Amino acid sequence: MTSTGAAGAPSPLSHPSPHTFRTVLPVLALCWLAVFFDGMDVNIYGAVMPHMLDDPGLGLTPSSAGTIGSWTTFGMLIGALTAGNITDWLGRRPMLVGSVTVFSLGSALCATAGSPALFGAGRFVAGLGLGGLMPLCLAMVMEFAPPRRAALTTGLLMTSYHAGGMVATALGLTLAPSAGWRWVFWAGVLPAVIAVPLLLMLLPESPGVLLARGDQAEADAVADRYGLPRPTLVEAPAAGAKGRFDAVLALFRPEARWATPLLWLASFCGLLLVYGVSTWLPQMMRASGYGLSSSVSFLLVINAGGIVGMLIAGRTADRFGAVRVSAIWFVLTAVGALLLKGHLPLAATYVVVAVTGIWLFSAQVMVYAATNTVYPGSERAAGLGWVTGVGRTGAVVGPWLGGVFAAGGHESWGFTTFALTGLLGATAIAFVPLAARLGGRRSTSAGASTVSASPATGR
């Protein structure tokens, strides 16, 4: 009979499980659920914005709507930068629980807001939780993923974001017209009720984080249960303020000093596209002459394309490399944005929106997957946190810029901006392998395999 440790993990004396894709499924499923609610919350605003603009009691204008979208992503910026650097204090599981709780509270504040200022405060609070959640889930899934399956696992995780976006759009199409936009935000409180208990009961802690906190027995137990190599002190992230400071400095060591800013720029472009489109696509399409229902449904279609894109990109990146796939996907996104600038027949527009969704969202996710080719295991959480965190400045700019265009009656300029952003993102990510070689580290991202180890291996 096998003894168990914390969170149901076997003792270090237990026979280790094989490290297969099946062993990561429990962690993947729980993180999938958390990111599902993340995608639902992020997309709710864009899905109900046309109804909010039509609500005279709220007093929302296109300009203030864009500013509020930026408040959300500014909160995400703070949350992303903070979460990746304090997990050694609290652990990844408590941080995930806290993130879900905070963005659920933000949705409740939005549902009760009586003015744009109070609504914006609710979106800022939601952003604090949303910003911390994504890098933590990505780091967890990458750590537990089997060799040569990190990109595929990351892609599967991110399908949940788009599934959540589709649910948010469906609520915007059905619940908002019949019951009002506030009830859609009340649905955003569900994560605190559903996801938090499951995360507390079932999600294991990171072996690397456990070891950094001095819990070697528990770290070995969790590693054995999920088939991971047992972490060593060299591979574990250093604890304390000095450890977090050193982790940030390590992002600019000679091997990564040029690749790091390129990853940041690519993430900036990707998140500008993701949040600019998620916030403004319905209103941009409405301004182009499409009906209200059709304009909102485009958000549903582009997220459906996003799910397909994640499945395609993950498998393709495992074969050809995340950098190569991300660069091509960025270019294809630019082409799709230019096509949407013209007023195509409705059926053709649906096709272009769906295909653009295939490329747009997974281009950004493959930037995250590419970090595994630059940062070793002990630096991966900080590296991901800063790539997502600095990238959040793009998430701030995207909604704000859309509001500027909408306030001036120039919504079509948004499509041109998205196209140029896609080309810039492609250029930045394409130069990451060269930057890594210039720094003295040979990057595998342009080769046949994106990643060959989880963060616990330190490879």
Side-chain angles (χ1 to χ4, degrees):
M1 183 173 179
T2 302
S3 62
T4 58
S11 72
L13 299 177
S14 303
H15 183 70
S17 300
H19 194 194
T20 65
F21 188 75
R22 182 174 296 180
T23 61
V24 78
L25 285 179
V27 175
L28 177 60
L30 290 166
C31 290
W32 194 99
L33 179 64
V35 177
F36 168 86
F37 285 119
D38 180 315
M40 179 176 159
D41 194 282
V42 168
N43 286 273
I44 277 178
Y45 185 41
V48 302
M49 185 190 294
H51 298 282
M52 296 177 66
L53 290 170
D54 292 341
D55 182 358
L58 183 63
L60 189 68
T61 65
S63 178
S64 61
T67 301
I68 288 173
S70 295
W71 290 356
T72 310
T73 49
F74 182 66
M76 289 180 174
L77 170 62
I78 296 174
L81 293 177
T82 301
N85 293 291
I86 64 172
T87 52
D88 57 313
W89 281 354
L90 301 177
R92 288 181 184 163
R93 181 174 58 183
M95 285 296 296
L96 278 175
V97 170
S99 295
V100 173
T101 302
V102 168
F103 78 71
S104 297
L105 174 62
S107 289
L109 292 174
C110 290
T112 59
S115 68
L118 292 176
F119 180 84
R123 293 305 291 163
F124 175 78
V125 171
L128 291 174
L130 293 167
L133 186 143
M134 187 68 73
L136 288 169
C137 284
L138 285 165
M140 285 288 289
V141 166
M142 285 186 183
E143 180 172 4
F144 282 80
R148 299 185 180 275
R149 289 294 178 266
L152 172 61
T153 309
T154 302
L156 290 173
L157 171 68
M158 293 305 297
T159 62
S160 61
Y161 176 91
H162 303 291
M166 293 175 69
V167 169
T169 307
L171 292 172
L173 287 169
T174 57
L175 188 59
S178 60
W181 60 267
R182 294 182 186 276
W183 282 102
V184 181
F185 282 98
W186 279 120
V189 182
L190 290 176
V193 179
I194 298 174
V196 166
L198 292 175
L199 292 171
L200 285 172
M201 291 187 295
L202 302 175
L203 186 69
E205 184 54 271
S206 157
V209 170
L210 289 170
L211 183 61
R213 285 164 30 183
D215 296 333
Q216 182 164 358
E218 189 175 354
D220 290 345
V222 175
D224 289 347
R225 181 184 180 191
Y226 291 92
L228 306 176
R230 292 185 176 183
T232 67
L233 290 175
V234 174
E235 296 157 354
K242 184 180 185 300
R244 291 189 299 279
F245 181 71
D246 290 343
V248 175
L249 290 181
L251 304 182
F252 292 93
R253 56 188 166 72
E255 300 92 328
R257 65 173 55 152
W258 301 113
T260 290
L262 287 172
L263 287 169
W264 288 1
L265 178 58
S267 184
F268 170 89
C269 294
L271 287 172
L272 187 153
L273 288 167
V274 168
Y275 288 95
V277 169
S278 296
T279 303
W280 284 104
L281 181 64
Q283 190 62 23
M284 288 167 61
M285 300 305 284
R286 189 183 186 189
S288 296
Y290 297 95
L292 176 59
S293 295
S294 296
S295 297
V296 175
S297 66
F298 287 132
L299 196 58
L300 178 70
V301 172
I302 203 168
N303 276 290
I307 292 177
V308 176
M310 293 302 168
L311 299 175
I312 294 174
R315 288 188 174 274
T316 306
D318 276 334
R319 182 175 180 182
F320 297 106
V323 166
R324 187 173 296 152
V325 170
S326 182
I328 295 172
W329 267 222
F330 269 124
V331 172
L332 293 172
T333 298
V335 173
L338 289 177
L339 289 174
L340 288 176
K341 187 175 182 180
H343 190 91
L344 302 172
L346 184 60
T349 303
Y350 274 118
V351 173
V352 173
V353 169
V355 172
T356 302
I358 292 176
W359 319 124
L360 187 155
F361 299 104
S362 49
Q364 169 63 24
V365 173
M366 291 304 105
V367 173
Y368 297 150
T371 61
N372 270 0
T373 67
V374 176
Y375 306 121
S378 61
E379 300 167 12
R380 199 155 294 146
L384 267 174
W386 278 87
V387 167
T388 56
V390 174
R392 294 292 179 191
T393 58
V396 173
V397 171
W400 168 80
L401 198 58
V404 171
F405 292 152
H410 303 298
E411 286 89 344
S412 64
W413 291 6
F415 295 114
T416 303
T417 301
F418 293 154
L420 293 174
T421 301
L423 295 176
L424 180 59
T427 303
I429 193 66
F431 276 100
V432 166
L434 175 61
R437 287 195 293 271
L438 289 175
R441 177 185 178 88
R442 185 176 180 179
S443 174
T444 62
S445 61
S449 173
T450 304
V451 141
S452 58
S454 70
T457 67
R459 291 170 56 190

